[in-house]
Amino acid sequence: MKQFFITVLGVIVGGFLFMFLLVFLLAGLGAALGGQTDTASAEGATVLTLDMRAPLLDHSAGESLFGSAPGSVVDAVRALDRAKTDDNIKGLLIRTGFGMAPASAEELRLAMLDFKDSGKFIVAHSQGFEATSVIPYMAVTAADEIWQQSTSGFAPAGLYSESGFYGGVFDKYDAKAEFAQFYEYKNAANTYTQSTMTDAHREATTSYLNSIYEISVAHIAQDRNMTVDAVKAVLNTAPHSAEAALDAGMIDKLGYYVEVVDYVKTKAGGEKTKFKSIKSYGPKNNFTGPVVAFVGGQGPVTLGGSQDGSNPFAATVSMGSDTLSRAIKKAAEDDKVKAIVFRVSSPGGSATASDDIYNAVEIAKDAGKPVVISMGQYAASGGYYVAANADTIVAMPTTITGSIGVLGGKVALRDTYSKIGYNVEHVRVGGEYGGAYSSDEPFTQAQRKAFTDQMEDIYVDFTELVAAGRDMPIAQVQEIAKGRVWTGAQAKERGLVDEMGGIMKSIEVAKELAGIEADTAVNLRRYPRPKTRSEQFEQLLNASVEMGQDIGTLREITAIPEVQAILKARAEAEALANGQAQLKAPLPEIQ
């Protein structure tokens, strides 16, 4: 009877969602038939707008069923590159945000500087630089003018990172965390085995935060025509009032957003000035030029298909080995493709999935197609694994990369269960390794050795692949590996990265490797092609059936912070146990 009611509920919810999605699909088709595209040309005096208050993907998945695609760093950079030669585009108006990855901020800054060099203006407005991180501020210092609402504060001070540890919790409840890590800098294991930072953990974190901070301060000083010491003096004494920030030279004018809009209109040519979001303006491709393939991978590296964030009910992103391998191989088989730009923005994940993608890159190279890696926010652990054998690796100075290492393990809860009278009985047939991943029993001595040997084999393979791909002695790789995270600038010094730059630099390198003249416009063709609206609609219909069993109360329960922390810990432990995070880098959120 219970299953009957669940089925009925599923049918009702599924039917409702079908009608809901049908309305939006028809609306989307209407917009498309009406001639609206993501690359609409600007007519007359136009100012582009970029809203940094909403999160940006690293690169977009194409059109969305519910309207335009989510904003992305790559699309914004390419749109600014297009706009610099568009006579109708007079300037750019930015609304500042609170959070952004350092490398994303850097890449947008480079695009803004290039845009300004064409003679166009940039004005940024903030309703308050309230975040203590320097990154949201650094993201807009390339603007000609920075406005700030007078009643708000200026709080950028530096960078801050937190790392949580469950070791003390597990000790209190007699849970046994059993992990193998290669080596001491592969800090994700410390989350479960330690109650405080190890010396290696603190050393590595401090090192890459210092690198990001010094690079950011240097950018700010250059953009604001100040000395590094002067910038640090303001940051070290934060927070400040808007008036004090103005006096210190960190901003240019005080005013409300409505005032800056009127100011920008006048600056661009008068009241008839139009505003167009950079997302709707978009990059414009050249369909007649030499073809360079663009393959995008962002999010954790997983087995199976990629998730592109286009599903509004589960807006996650991941780089699936099946999707990426097929895309790279298809680009390699296309005679029109002269080179491949593989954009990677991933903290890593499954070792098996990473190896599958690595192999696809090797196949492309064997087919005579140069492969250039463009690193986004991060390309660490498995994210570095997939990049290691490319012809050229391009990264931003603040890209998080490296973390050449491996970890795995489990949390055994037998003694925890006994505290509440719960008991699990086991029956094992065959080899002793059967049941090694049980969440109840600790490893036996033989299981622990076998598991550790497995992790070591992955580490040896990883370092040997890096040595071969980067043409480095294995001893040199082993010295800079050990699971340690580096910034792009640090990685370049150690031979793990070749060039500093973003997507536009990567395209330049790809053209050079393919023998395409530098001033020749290329056809940047996406692999795999973006899903059509009908394909997205079918995907959502399939998802709606599963949602029939979703209960609103469950959503409220899982929203409780304490439950979220437990679910996160469990998910991370399960990912490690099933091999989905062996090559995942521990990347704390930088604030």
Side-chain angles (χ1 to χ4, degrees):
M1 183 62 71
K2 177 181 178 182
Q3 185 61 43
F4 170 76
F5 283 114
I6 291 176
T7 303
V8 171
L9 177 62
V11 171
I12 294 172
V13 174
F16 172 77
L17 288 174
F18 173 83
M19 296 303 297
F20 173 76
L21 294 173
L22 183 60
V23 170
F24 276 95
L25 177 64
L26 293 174
L29 290 174
L33 292 173
Q36 297 180 13
T37 68
D38 284 341
T39 55
S41 298
E43 297 180 1
T46 302
V47 173
L48 295 179
T49 61
L50 175 59
D51 194 340
M52 292 185 175
R53 297 172 302 170
L56 295 174
L57 292 174
D58 179 73
H59 50 273
S60 71
E63 290 186 339
S64 168
L65 179 63
F66 298 97
S68 61
S72 78
V73 173
V74 168
D75 283 352
V77 168
R78 293 187 62 217
L80 287 174
D81 182 67
R82 171 195 177 191
K84 70 183 183 183
T85 58
D86 187 338
D87 292 338
N88 290 316
I89 301 297
K90 306 302 180 183
L92 172 67
L93 174 59
I94 302 171
R95 300 197 73 173
T96 65
F98 282 89
M100 181 176 290
S104 298
E106 262 198 308
E107 190 162 0
L108 288 170
R109 172 184 173 271
L110 274 183
M112 292 177 203
L113 291 172
D114 190 42
F115 178 79
K116 278 173 48 177
D117 285 345
S118 66
K120 302 175 189 294
F121 68 83
I122 302 177
V123 177
H125 182 270
S126 173
Q127 290 179 291
F129 290 100
E130 306 292 357
T132 61
S133 169
V134 298
I135 303 303
Y137 176 67
M138 183 266 284
V140 298
T141 53
D144 297 286
E145 299 177 31
I146 300 177
W147 289 53
Q148 182 173 339
Q149 192 166 315
S150 60
T151 54
S152 61
F154 185 89
L159 295 173
Y160 174 82
S161 174
E162 291 182 347
S163 299
F165 298 93
Y166 299 106
V169 177
F170 293 158
D171 287 344
K172 182 175 291 188
Y173 293 100
D174 292 336
K176 188 172 180 59
E178 300 192 314
F179 285 82
Q181 62 190 104
F182 293 87
Y183 278 98
E184 67 270 22
Y185 292 104
K186 199 66 178 175
N187 300 324
N190 299 345
T191 297
Y192 307 97
T193 61
Q194 307 292 326
S195 57
T196 61
M197 275 189 173
T198 63
D199 291 342
H201 191 166
R202 187 172 297 278
E203 174 195 353
T205 304
T206 302
S207 175
Y208 71 70
L209 284 181
N210 270 328
S211 179
I212 295 171
Y213 177 71
E214 294 297 336
I215 291 167
S216 300
V217 169
H219 290 333
I220 294 168
Q222 178 183 345
D223 295 342
R224 299 300 300 170
N225 195 25
M226 298 169 65
T227 66
V228 167
D229 288 342
V231 172
K232 287 184 176 180
V234 177
L235 301 180
N236 290 340
T237 54
H240 305 278
S241 65
E243 290 80 3
L246 178 65
D247 292 340
M250 303 298 275
I251 61 174
D252 299 289
K253 293 182 180 179
L254 301 179
Y256 291 93
Y257 182 65
V258 291
E259 296 176 283
V260 82
V261 168
D262 290 339
Y263 173 80
V264 167
K265 280 184 178 180
T266 302
K267 193 174 181 70
E271 280 299 317
K272 292 185 178 180
T273 299
K274 294 176 291 187
F275 292 90
K276 180 179 286 292
S277 75
I278 204 167
K279 189 167 61 174
S280 62
Y281 179 75
K284 186 175 183 179
N285 216 342
N286 171 26
F287 295 106
T288 61
V291 177
V292 172
F294 176 89
V295 179
Q298 59 186 325
V301 183
T302 63
L303 292 166
S306 296
Q307 298 294 321
D308 58 17
S310 62
N311 186 339
F313 304 120
T316 57
V317 293
S318 65
M319 48 187 293
S321 59
D322 288 355
T323 301
L324 270 295
S325 296
R326 280 196 300 263
I328 294 170
K329 291 172 185 175
K330 189 171 183 179
E333 293 165 358
D334 190 335
D335 292 337
K336 294 182 179 179
V337 171
K338 305 303 180 186
I340 299 172
V341 173
F342 182 12
R343 177 76 172 194
V344 179
S345 190
S346 171
S350 164
T352 305
S354 299
D355 191 59
D356 193 15
I357 299 169
Y358 177 100
N359 180 63
V361 172
E362 196 66 33
I363 290 172
K365 289 173 58 183
D366 290 343
K369 303 296 170 72
V371 180
V372 178
I373 297 295
S374 174
M375 291 184 170
Q377 301 173 13
Y378 36 63
S381 201
Y384 189 82
Y385 192 117
V386 303
N389 62 337
D391 293 287
T392 304
I393 298 177
V394 181
M396 295 304 301
T398 58
T399 294
I400 297 298
T401 188
S403 192
I404 301 167
V406 62
L407 77 154
K410 67 176 185 177
V411 178
L413 300 173
R414 182 180 61 190
D415 293 340
T416 306
Y417 292 153
S418 68
K419 288 180 175 293
I420 57 173
Y422 179 64
N423 183 45
V424 178
E425 295 290 341
H426 310 276
V427 176
R428 178 167 51 225
V429 177
E432 186 176 345
Y433 201 68
Y437 301 126
S438 166
S439 63
D440 177 63
E441 287 189 307
F443 286 134
T444 66
Q445 186 173 351
Q447 287 173 343
R448 185 179 296 106
K449 183 181 185 308
F451 181 80
T452 302
D453 288 347
Q454 273 192 319
M455 294 297 102
E456 186 171 19
D457 285 345
I458 294 173
Y459 181 74
V460 170
D461 288 343
F462 195 171
T463 53
E464 288 179 347
L465 289 173
V466 171
R470 301 301 300 161
D471 193 22
M472 296 168 62
I474 187 64
Q476 184 179 348
V477 174
Q478 290 170 342
E479 181 61 30
I480 59 179
K482 303 178 182 178
R484 181 158 180 168
V485 170
W486 307 100
T487 62
Q490 293 171 327
K492 187 174 186 298
E493 293 173 355
R494 290 158 177 82
L496 295 175
V497 167
D498 299 298
E499 302 277 355
M500 293 285 95
I503 185 63
M504 302 311 298
K505 176 66 176 180
S506 301
I507 294 171
E508 288 177 15
V509 172
K511 288 165 65 175
E512 181 181 350
L513 292 177
I516 301 171
E517 293 293 331
D519 58 353
T520 301
V522 298
N523 176 3
L524 196 66
R525 184 179 296 173
R526 294 189 56 169
Y527 289 81
R529 64 167 178 77
K531 292 187 183 75
T532 64
R533 282 194 169 97
S534 61
E535 288 170 336
Q536 293 180 51
F537 183 60
E538 181 180 358
Q539 179 183 6
L540 287 175
L541 279 180
N542 292 335
S544 70
V545 175
E546 299 175 8
M547 290 187 62
Q549 299 181 33
D550 198 4
I551 307 299
T553 306
L554 182 60
R555 183 183 297 274
E556 295 176 6
I557 293 172
T558 56
I560 299 172
E562 292 83 352
V563 176
Q564 285 285 313
I566 294 170
L567 291 174
K568 180 181 178 181
R570 181 179 178 85
E572 290 173 347
E574 287 179 349
L576 288 167
N578 63 27
Q580 291 295 306
Q582 295 159 339
L583 298 187
K584 187 170 183 180
L587 304 179
E589 188 173 324
I590 300 173
Q591 303 174 3

